[in-house]
Amino acid sequence: MFDRQTARYVSLLADFWVSLGSGTHYVYSAYGPQLATRLGFTATQSSVIATLGSVGVYFSGPPAGVIIDRKPPHIPIIIGGCLILFGYMMMRFAYVSELRSVAFVGIFMIIASSGNTFAFHACVKCAAMNFPHKRGMATSIPVAGYGLSALFFSQIGNAAFPGDTGRFMLMLPLLASGLVFLGLPFVRNIPLENIIDSEVAVTPGEVEDLETDALLRHAGTNESAASTGDLKSKEGNYSSISEFEREASLNGESSSDESMVDEIVLPVQEEVDIHGWALFKDIRFWIHFSIHGLLSGCGLMYILSAGYVLRALYTYSNPYISPNDLQKNQAIQVSLVSSFSFIGRIVAGYSGDRLKRKGYQRMWIIFAAACIFTLAQIGGLTITSSRFMWFISVFNGIGYGFLFGSYASIISEIFGLKRFSENYGFLTIATVVGSDVFAFAFGAIYDSNSYFIDEMMPDDDYTAPYNSTYEYFNGNSTMRRFGSQVGQVCDLGRDCYRDAFIITVPAAIIAAILALSVIFYENRLKAREEAAAAVEESTEAAAADSE
């Protein structure tokens, strides 16, 4: 139906579409507080459910990677779509039936989140395979769709079902799985043409985006057999032309603009393949594991708890806010995180490729992400009004986008593309570790500063002064009432959760130090290799002169 080049771009668009339906894990903060209130869960129990979602997303990475690396992409995408549909439908059943079981909701959160991983990782691997010469930019497309998912679903839910959590939780599985299955026919690995040994095909229109100093400009030239033979001897380091052109050059034939072949072939360095026990023995893996865990943990703590942060600040400043308005403001914060995460992922993919071509490391993007996360955590530590929550949401979104928009390419370059999905799955387990620690800390701190209010309140309670806390006797016990809030309430504003950000600020700073250490180490290693190569070259030149 399409030529190969067009098919690759169609597949990339489908990767984005499927990934858009596969990022539903991040939508939890848009309905999590309402789910917890209806089922009577504490903030810690809600954090447990959110964390179990992270367990599903990231612990399913390695087994999903094994399938993705061995099967065509439609297999894991079908598995993912089915798990998303089943998991979220069962969570809605618990909500509608008021089934007050953390274990029940958590199990199906794991199932739905695992489906996200199967579909999303298949799209990332497909994008990397179809565009090996632009891995950073190509993989950032599905990664960006994954990050945009929360904005997409929260805004649709807020517009179509304002304040109706039950209908929102019905829309979520139907629309998410629908997007996954809709893009399924177009997600394909498209074979590259004119591949010679370890060379990668590049179309002429893409040449200017590559390292032009490494590209053989062959249009309208007459090359001798000797020059072509010299070119053959340097195939490992320089670009070469196709077999057809090579034979023509040997025969003294020139290539005109009209007869130029459709593709120029640009070889890449020999692909590394580090996986299994070799991966775990590599110290580089554990350094990146630590950086990823610290930063993603900081980001996820806020992303999954933004509803509680907003509720605490609103309860302190405007205790009579309606549930509809509260949910609308939650959707705004989720949208901010998601939209700026989307922007961050696109920028990170493009910038990473540009940095790589100019001789710099992609780790500079990770260092920038750590600095941005640090600013976001400081914002969470100091902001006392819900009007300025946008600062925390925007900077968490950008940092999260930079992090996940870069690490796929970093891992494929360090450990190889052959087992990329499996290796990347192991790396993302770090997110579970980081989010477990920080999310549980947030929940415990919030719970320690909260109290519960029964849903049934005496009518005369609404005559209380604005922004007041007082007691009333409900027959058996003395209860406290704060404004129009019910369920779990914390009336301390920022102090409800402030201690959680005291933990994440140093975590982000440590990650920045580790990223900077990796950059300096790689620079020193590169300098040593260049010095050794220069010595070897001068030795060979001296030997040639002596002969």
Side-chain angles (χ1 to χ4, degrees):
M1 185 167 57
F2 304 111
D3 60 73
R4 292 191 178 187
Q5 181 180 351
T6 303
R8 283 197 285 272
Y9 284 101
V10 170
S11 179
L12 187 62
L13 180 62
D15 290 335
F16 176 86
W17 195 255
V18 173
S19 298
L20 185 65
S22 305
T24 51
H25 172 55
Y26 299 121
V27 190
Y28 180 76
S29 59
Y31 65 89
Q34 288 73 24
L35 175 68
T37 298
R38 183 177 178 89
L39 302 185
F41 295 156
T42 65
T44 300
Q45 290 173 320
S46 181
S47 294
V48 167
I49 294 171
T51 303
L52 288 175
S54 298
V55 168
V57 168
Y58 300 112
F59 270 100
S60 62
V66 171
I67 295 175
I68 292 166
D69 289 335
R70 290 165 173 77
K71 300 293 182 181
H74 67 270
I75 299 296
I77 290 175
I78 291 173
I79 294 173
C82 293
L83 292 178
I84 290 170
L85 178 63
F86 179 62
Y88 282 124
M89 287 299 291
M90 294 305 294
M91 286 181 64
R92 182 181 183 274
F93 171 78
Y95 178 86
V96 173
S97 305
E98 295 189 41
L99 186 58
R100 304 189 174 193
S101 170
V102 175
F104 183 90
V105 177
I107 287 171
F108 289 104
M109 185 67 163
I110 291 174
I111 290 173
S113 300
S114 299
N116 289 334
T117 298
F118 273 86
F120 170 59
H121 281 202
C123 291
V124 174
K125 175 67 178 289
C126 185
M129 293 291 290
N130 286 339
F131 296 90
H133 53 287
K134 285 186 177 180
R135 288 180 193 170
M137 191 61 195
T139 56
S140 73
I141 299 301
V143 168
Y146 188 76
L148 193 64
S149 181
L151 169 65
F152 179 76
F153 286 102
S154 63
Q155 286 304 304
I156 289 180
N158 186 51
F161 317 112
D164 192 339
T165 305
R167 294 174 70 186
F168 177 86
M169 293 185 69
L170 176 62
M171 176 273 295
L172 187 62
L174 296 179
L175 184 56
S177 60
L179 289 173
V180 171
F181 291 128
L182 189 62
L184 174 64
F186 304 101
V187 179
R188 297 185 297 147
N189 291 327
I190 311 299
L192 298 174
E193 297 174 341
N194 294 340
I195 303 281
I196 305 172
D197 299 327
S198 63
E199 296 165 348
V200 176
V202 184
T203 60
E206 295 166 337
V207 165
E208 62 185 60
D209 293 331
L210 300 172
E211 299 151 305
T212 54
D213 59 328
L215 180 67
L216 176 64
R217 304 188 181 279
H218 56 84
T221 62
N222 273 309
E223 298 190 36
S224 64
S227 64
T228 305
D230 181 65
L231 174 68
K232 282 187 174 183
S233 68
K234 299 180 180 180
E235 279 183 349
N237 300 313
Y238 300 98
S239 301
S240 65
I241 53 179
S242 66
E243 275 304 332
F244 172 81
E245 291 181 297
R246 184 177 295 157
E247 292 176 3
S249 182
L250 283 169
N251 293 327
E253 299 172 6
S254 63
S255 298
S256 64
D257 290 341
E258 293 78 16
S259 63
M260 186 186 300
V261 292
D262 291 337
E263 293 192 346
I264 302 168
V265 180
L266 182 70
V268 296
Q269 294 180 349
E270 184 178 352
E271 190 74 48
V272 295
D273 182 17
I274 300 174
H275 65 279
W277 285 114
L279 180 73
F280 299 129
K281 293 176 182 178
D282 196 320
I283 188 63
R284 295 174 299 174
F285 171 77
W286 294 109
I287 293 174
H288 288 291
F289 187 93
S290 301
I291 295 171
H292 200 282
L294 289 169
L295 295 182
S296 59
C298 290
L300 269 180
M301 185 197 77
Y302 175 77
I303 290 171
L304 300 178
S305 306
Y308 284 97
V309 174
L310 185 69
R311 178 175 287 192
L313 295 178
Y314 261 113
T315 299
Y316 184 74
S317 61
N318 183 16
Y320 289 95
I321 187 172
S322 70
N324 285 0
D325 289 341
L326 186 62
Q327 192 162 13
K328 184 183 297 183
N329 280 282
Q330 285 176 214
I332 290 173
Q333 299 306 320
V334 172
S335 299
L336 283 173
V337 173
S338 182
S339 57
F340 280 91
S341 175
F342 167 78
I343 294 170
R345 291 168 195 242
I346 292 292
V347 170
Y350 176 78
S351 301
D353 283 347
R354 298 299 295 178
L355 285 173
K356 193 71 177 176
R357 289 167 196 152
K358 293 181 180 294
Y360 297 102
Q361 299 178 50
R362 295 185 194 270
M363 282 302 297
W364 282 111
I365 306 292
I366 303 301
F367 175 72
C371 294
I372 292 169
F373 270 122
T374 302
L375 291 176
Q377 309 316 302
I378 292 173
L381 194 62
T382 56
I383 288 173
T384 58
S385 171
S386 58
R387 289 180 299 171
F388 299 105
M389 252 191 82
W390 62 266
F391 179 90
I392 315 173
S393 299
V394 166
F395 277 81
N396 262 296
I398 295 173
Y400 212 70
F402 275 23
L403 180 70
F404 280 88
S406 301
Y407 251 119
S409 297
I410 290 172
I411 293 304
S412 68
E413 288 174 355
I414 297 174
F415 304 113
L417 188 60
K418 185 177 181 181
R419 301 293 184 94
F420 161 73
S421 296
E422 182 180 333
N423 293 340
Y424 189 63
F426 282 121
L427 177 80
T428 53
I429 290 176
T431 304
V432 180
V433 179
S435 63
D436 272 0
V437 174
F438 298 143
F440 279 135
F442 182 97
I445 291 166
Y446 194 94
D447 283 345
S448 68
N449 295 312
S450 304
Y451 55 89
F452 271 89
I453 297 177
D454 287 343
E455 193 165 351
M456 299 302 294
M457 296 292 180
D459 292 338
D460 58 0
D461 284 349
Y462 291 96
T463 64
Y466 178 78
N467 201 29
S468 64
T469 304
Y470 65 101
E471 297 182 347
Y472 73 94
F473 188 72
N474 69 348
N476 297 316
S477 60
T478 300
M479 302 291 292
R480 290 201 299 169
R481 174 69 187 276
F482 191 75
S484 61
Q485 304 297 312
V486 297
Q488 186 181 23
V489 175
C490 178
D491 53 21
L492 303 178
R494 176 193 61 179
D495 291 338
C496 292
Y497 55 80
R498 184 174 182 271
D499 290 347
F501 286 98
I502 292 177
I503 298 172
T504 56
V505 168
I509 293 173
I510 291 171
I513 294 171
L514 285 174
L516 210 55
S517 301
V518 170
I519 292 170
F520 288 149
Y521 171 78
E522 292 293 340
N523 284 341
R524 289 182 61 185
L525 187 63
K526 182 180 178 181
R528 289 176 184 174
E529 290 175 349
E530 289 177 350
V535 170
E536 183 179 352
E537 185 177 347
S538 61
T539 303
E540 291 177 354
D545 291 341
S546 63
E547 292 177 357

